[in-house]
Amino acid sequence: MSTNRRNVLQGLGALAAGSVLPLSLVKVAAAKAEDSFTFAFVSDSHIQQIKGAKFVRNWDRGLERAVAEVNLMNPRPDFVVYGGDIAQLALPAEIDHGLEILSALRPKVHYILGEHDYYLDLGEYWSKQLGPQYYSFDHKGTHFVMLNSILTHEKWVNKWSSGTERMGVMAGLDDPRGSPFMVGEEQRNWLAADLAKVDKATPIVVFSHSPLQKIFKNWNFWTDDAEEVQALLAPFDKVNVFYGHVHQIQYNQIGKISFHAAMATAWPWPYPESYAQAPSQLPVLTVPMNRGDPFHERDATGWQFIDVQTGNATLTYLLPDNDMRRVGWDDKRGHPMDFAYQDAPIAAQKHY
Ligand SMILES: [Fe+2]
Ligand SMILES: [Fe+2]
């Protein structure tokens, strides 16, 4: 274990002892220790305006806590990624209030859009504050891609009499009047051109709001063109995709691509498995997760330590009042295992 890695773990250990973090710290461990770095991932704050300057207090506090804890991390993350859904109903007042809380973060923040930031005015106010809706950048040898995965059919977008009505429908977890998310052709063409410039051995880290895999359509834990995006990522050796939106821990591997969901700072959603009609419609995840304690207000919120350099993730989830869950790469089996709970290994998926 390098000194650098030990320090990261010590820093996390100190934090984990005192609290449960609604965020992820991700380490990118390079061959040379001085090239290694960490970044933090914070998502889904759902800042909600009640009236005027009054906002839902619990959502404010979840985000304030994540900001405070990122600022305490040792070593300091090189940057923070915000995974979308700053706001609940995409109101400028909600986005402003969320950004004001986030402005206390010391590291630079890279943002992606969530549907709750978008469907009132189709991202106009968000973009005015935060810039492009998709882009890429390089950091110490890793290629980062930020996608807008929450677009949908134009016909659906235009069928509502107001943005407020449209946002209200898309804000429901299981509203049958909603529409599936997609990255879309224009952005996929951009991604293909962007990735064409990148060496196949370069670690790729992709951020999307909705999962770039198909988890559960009824709840929009879903991206319609997930397979097309996966096909663009498939030629690379080390690909990790991080997403928010599902407000729960999910880990999956499809081919060489690892998928990691992060908890929300606002509230946890139940696992679709717990929904009576769901099981027959769910894919088999590489590592299934159970809820820690659904009656605990911070159920399944935790921190994740993820080493993305090898392309093989090692994750640790801290669950309130429950045993820690550890998911790590198993060389013999060629896919990650839950060391304590996964009796029968599940093969890596070829498709969802
Ligand atoms: Fe969300
Ligand atoms: Fe979302």
Side-chain angles (χ1 to χ4, degrees), residues 43-46 84-85 87-88 115-116 209 244-247 264 266-267 269:
S43 197
D44 291 84
S45 305
H46 291 265
D85 287 353
Q88 171 64 10
E115 82 280 17
H116 288 263
H209 181 67
H245 184 61
V246 295
H247 297 209
W267 67 82
W269 286 125

Side-chain angles (χ1 to χ4, degrees), residues 291-300 320-322:
R291 300 204 70 181
D293 174 358
F295 295 103
H296 193 292
E297 74 277 13
R298 301 308 297 168
D299 172 48
D321 304 332
N322 281 279

